[in-house]
Amino acid sequence: MGRRMACVFARAGAPPNLLGYCSARTASLHSPVMAQHSSTLNLGDRAPDFTLSSANGMGEISLAQLLQRGPVVIEFLRGTW
């Protein structure tokens, strides 16, 4: 991933020291210490209940409400905004 990231940074005209900083931060996310303190869900884990504003602006909706209707799939989309 290092070479790939370097190419992206170079094409974007990013300062050279930024690549080193981002690489170090990325590596720290994969460290054993971080893994011990992570609360990341694994495949098949049950997600904790949460409430979010509805996409249509018509109030809030919770995971518990959605689960009453049946199974729920949560997808995280990476956007460019």
Side-chain angles (χ1 to χ4, degrees):
M1 181 169 108
R3 268 190 288 170
R4 228 172 117 192
M5 197 155 70
C7 290
V8 169
F9 275 63
R11 276 189 254 140
N17 61 335
L18 185 60
L19 175 61
Y21 175 81
C22 290
S23 294
R25 300 289 70 79
T26 301
S28 73
L29 292 173
H30 296 286
S31 74
V33 173
M34 182 63 87
Q36 290 174 352
H37 300 289
S38 173
S39 58
T40 303
L41 297 175
N42 294 307
L43 184 63
D45 286 351
R46 189 171 187 101
D49 192 33
F50 57 87
T51 302
L52 298 172
S53 297
S54 64
N56 62 8
M58 302 294 290
E60 296 182 333
I61 186 119
S62 70
L63 178 59
Q65 290 171 306
L66 294 172
L67 286 169
Q68 289 175 357
R69 301 180 197 167
V72 176
V73 174
I74 300 172
E75 181 178 9
F76 296 91
L77 301 172
R78 188 178 92 184
T80 54
W81 53 87

